Amino acid sequence: MDEAYILTLDAGTTGVKCAAFSPKGEAACSAVEAYPTYYPFSGWAQQKPGEQLDAALRAIRIVLEKVPAEQVCALVFSGTMNGCIPIDEKGEALHENIIHSDLRAEPQTEQLRKAIPLRDYYAVTGNRIDVHSGLPKYIWLRQHRPEVYGRAWKFVNIKDYLYGRFTGLPGRTDRSDASLCNCLNMHTGDWAWDILREAGVDAGKMPELHASTDVTGTLSTEFAALTGLPQGLPVAIGAGDGACAAHGARQHVVGDAYMNIGSSAWVSSMSKKPVIDREMRLFNYFDLDETCYNVCGTVQCGSAASNWAIENLIYPGTRAADCDFAKLEALARTAPAGAQGVMYLPTLMGERTPWWTAKVSGTLMGFTLYHGPQHIARAVYEGVMQSLHMCGDILGENGLPVRRMTLIGGGAKSRLWGQMAADMFDAQVRVHATPHEATSLGAAFAAGVGIGWYQDFAQAARQIHFSREYTPDPAAAAAYQKHLAVYKALYPNMKGAYEALADYQSSLNEQNQPAQ
């Protein structure tokens, strides 16, 4: 068993990661192959499925240079959620992948809001009508790319597209990914047929629903030749990156929370039932085992917002990937908690929790002639974490207080963010032993349960370990409570100005829009 591996493919925002996991949950090796995101117009964000597929094949081949193909027991997928790839019956993509951060479907979102009472919609789906989700994008295709919509057999997310290509079984998804299409009934686990009808979307275009542990698919002859993996290898459907991260991050226990700090960022806790927040600020999606739910507050721009600030404000001309983060954090630490009143709203691509709007833009404010680069640096770190703190506060309001939390994602490496999390949440914070691998590890658990490595997900979770822990500093915790009170008021007080600015920016783009 020690010489056996599960291969995972996690298609993220910037690239696809292939990793080989042993039954002990250890990653023997991994490889990341990048692909670009295209921003043809303001608010648009799309990727090319063919480039993502090519990157996945390259990543597998790199891993197989270190792990013998005959020792691979299964392949499984994860990927970004909230996307839209129309495919034909052969699984070929008919259009670019309209990814989670894309905002083009705001008019279609407004149409949905007028057609379906928001509270009724939220009560069924566990999610509000939101521009980032799949359903408005399907409507956008019907209205603006009718030839693509007409040819589309199914709408899928990136992990489902890859699964279909590798197995020859296109048009399948799991319930975690389906949850954030925004047209799944969160109580029955089936498509919300009435909502699809009201939206004018052909229900037949929605993919088949399967468990994340489903290993009925096998690697096709074509993709065995392309990858070097054995033909007939069991292939698990897997799950969306949020659901996989949840299982790779923390124990399989209701109430345990985790925070992912990546390009986007979120705080999530597990519940036995969907949480219907009275202000509809949270969203819900099925857990991998489909007996529980992940209840989540998401910040649209996490490290994407801090990276932008690094490249354009703090160290202009320096790529974030080349930044000396130890030096940057040392600079930020020379400013006190609260950055002497300088605040950063990381809302560069709209915002989800708690405001749920596309009409907000990034903001750095509160600076005077007194302030220096150290205050800006600290404000950028604090802005991302304080946005996540608001998500945690809302979980607490709904009976899921964050008392212990695990950090994963690239941002978990930051000791400054780790301490800020403990201080702002006033909670014990643990850092995952392999924070970059948590999402892939969760996917490996799905395949491991599917092929019998583990009896269930609770047994699989025993393979999770932690590298360090942070405890709150009382003085900083008190300072951040005052900081949050001001921070929470910024957007509501400037809402009209943000909307006017967004409308102005939209008018500037109209002349450059493609013919509809």
Side-chain angles (χ1 to χ4, degrees):
M1 194 89 163
D2 288 340
E3 298 301 319
Y5 299 96
I6 286 173
L7 227 58
T8 63
L9 277 174
D10 176 35
T13 302
T14 58
V16 61
K17 173 185 284 187
C18 179
F21 286 91
S22 73
K24 295 180 180 179
E26 298 169 343
C29 61
S30 64
V32 177
E33 286 292 297
Y35 40 71
T37 299
Y38 299 92
Y39 304 96
F41 305 100
S42 177
W44 289 39
Q46 59 192 38
Q47 294 169 340
K48 294 183 179 181
E51 292 180 346
Q52 295 177 285
L53 175 60
D54 289 343
L57 292 171
R58 293 196 305 272
I60 288 176
R61 289 193 288 262
I62 292 170
V63 168
L64 291 183
E65 292 175 2
K66 298 179 181 179
V67 172
E70 60 271 16
Q71 293 179 1
V72 177
C73 299
L75 176 66
V76 63
F77 298 91
S78 178
T80 52
M81 306 167 80
N82 296 99
C84 171
I85 306 174
I87 59 170
D88 62 21
E89 293 189 25
K90 294 181 179 179
E92 298 280 355
L94 302 174
H95 189 271
E96 287 80 9
N97 178 11
I98 306 174
I99 67 171
H100 57 90
S101 55
D102 189 279
L103 303 176
R104 76 184 70 181
E106 183 59 27
Q108 289 69 37
T109 306
E110 286 299 320
Q111 293 166 20
L112 279 171
R113 290 174 184 141
K114 292 176 181 178
I116 306 171
L118 183 55
R119 292 198 177 277
D120 293 347
Y121 187 99
Y122 188 78
V124 172
T125 67
N127 298 288
R128 62 189 298 141
I129 301 170
D130 176 51
V131 67
H132 301 98
S133 63
L135 185 58
K137 295 167 184 172
Y138 311 154
I139 302 171
W140 185 90
L141 284 171
R142 190 192 74 216
Q143 294 177 350
H144 297 295
R145 299 291 185 273
E147 72 288 353
V148 173
Y149 181 88
R151 292 173 58 207
W153 177 58
K154 302 288 183 185
F155 297 119
V156 296
N157 272 311
I158 182 57
K159 76 108 167 52
D160 306 316
Y161 166 75
L162 294 174
Y163 173 89
R165 294 301 308 275
F166 274 75
T167 63
L169 296 171
R172 294 183 175 189
T173 194
D174 80 297
R175 285 179 174 79
S176 72
D177 244 351
S179 300
L180 297 192
C181 293
N182 258 24
C183 46
L184 187 80
N185 187 313
M186 197 58 55
H187 307 280
T188 66
D190 200 358
W191 295 112
W193 307 111
D194 290 347
I195 285 176
L196 287 167
R197 184 167 53 252
E198 287 289 337
V201 172
D202 182 355
K205 295 183 184 294
M206 302 311 297
E208 292 180 13
L209 296 166
H210 291 257
S212 64
T213 56
D214 185 318
V215 289
T216 57
T218 59
L219 190 66
S220 70
T221 303
E222 177 188 0
F223 277 78
L226 288 171
T227 60
L229 290 166
Q231 180 184 345
L233 179 73
V235 181
I237 288 176
D241 58 0
C244 287
H247 271 277
R250 48 96 173 109
Q251 304 301 311
H252 190 66
V253 176
V254 170
D256 262 16
Y258 80 97
M259 176 191 293
N260 181 82
I261 311 175
S263 297
S264 60
W266 60 84
V267 181
S268 178
S269 190
M270 185 187 286
S271 174
K272 281 290 185 183
K273 59 183 180 180
V275 171
I276 307 303
D277 174 48
R278 60 184 176 81
E279 294 183 38
M280 300 174 287
R281 296 163 295 179
L282 300 173
F283 59 96
N284 298 264
Y285 52 91
F286 270 96
D287 186 53
L288 265 64
D289 70 359
E290 299 184 1
T291 65
C292 295
Y293 299 83
N294 290 288
V295 185
C296 190
T298 291
V299 173
Q300 184 62 30
C301 280
S303 61
S306 60
N307 287 347
W308 183 91
I310 289 167
E311 295 175 347
N312 295 280
L313 297 178
I314 303 171
Y315 299 129
T318 299
R319 293 193 317 144
D322 299 327
C323 177
D324 183 342
F325 283 96
K327 178 182 176 182
L328 175 62
E329 292 194 9
L331 173 66
R333 288 179 188 278
T334 63
Q340 295 290 90
V342 179
M343 295 193 179
Y344 181 60
L345 272 67
T347 45
L348 278 70
M349 286 290 285
E351 189 55 288
R352 290 196 245 179
T353 308
W355 300 309
W356 293 93
T357 179
K359 293 186 174 184
V360 61
S361 47
T363 304
L364 179 71
M365 65 187 304
F367 48 89
T368 68
L369 291 175
Y370 162 77
H371 294 100
Q374 71 274 24
H375 300 103
I376 294 174
R378 188 170 190 102
V380 167
Y381 275 91
E382 289 179 340
V384 173
M385 188 55 63
Q386 200 66 288
S387 292
L388 288 161
H389 182 198
M390 286 195 290
C391 297
D393 270 4
I394 296 166
L395 286 170
E397 289 176 24
N398 284 276
L400 296 171
V402 177
R403 298 191 178 96
R404 186 174 68 175
M405 180 167 60
T406 301
L407 299 189
I408 65 169
K413 295 186 300 182
S414 167
R415 291 181 180 269
L416 184 55
W417 262 333
Q419 187 60 52
M420 281 182 181
D423 295 340
M424 291 187 187
F425 283 78
D426 197 17
Q428 296 297 117
V429 172
R430 304 173 299 180
V431 178
H432 198 282
T434 54
H436 279 293
E437 308 289 359
T439 300
S440 296
L441 179 59
F445 287 164
V449 172
I451 64 173
W453 273 15
Y454 313 112
Q455 180 181 348
D456 53 28
F457 283 104
Q459 184 186 32
R462 295 171 192 161
Q463 316 308 319
I464 299 171
H465 303 286
F466 307 98
S467 63
R468 60 182 181 272
E469 188 168 308
Y470 297 93
T471 57
D473 174 82
Y480 282 131
Q481 286 304 309
K482 296 178 181 178
H483 184 276
L484 178 63
V486 177
Y487 191 90
K488 288 170 68 173
L490 296 180
Y491 169 77
N493 284 324
M494 298 189 295
K495 182 174 182 290
Y498 278 125
E499 291 175 348
L501 181 58
D503 290 342
Y504 171 65
Q505 290 175 332
S506 178
S507 71
L508 295 178
N509 290 323
E510 285 179 2
Q511 60 186 353
N512 296 319
Q513 292 289 328
Q516 305 294 340

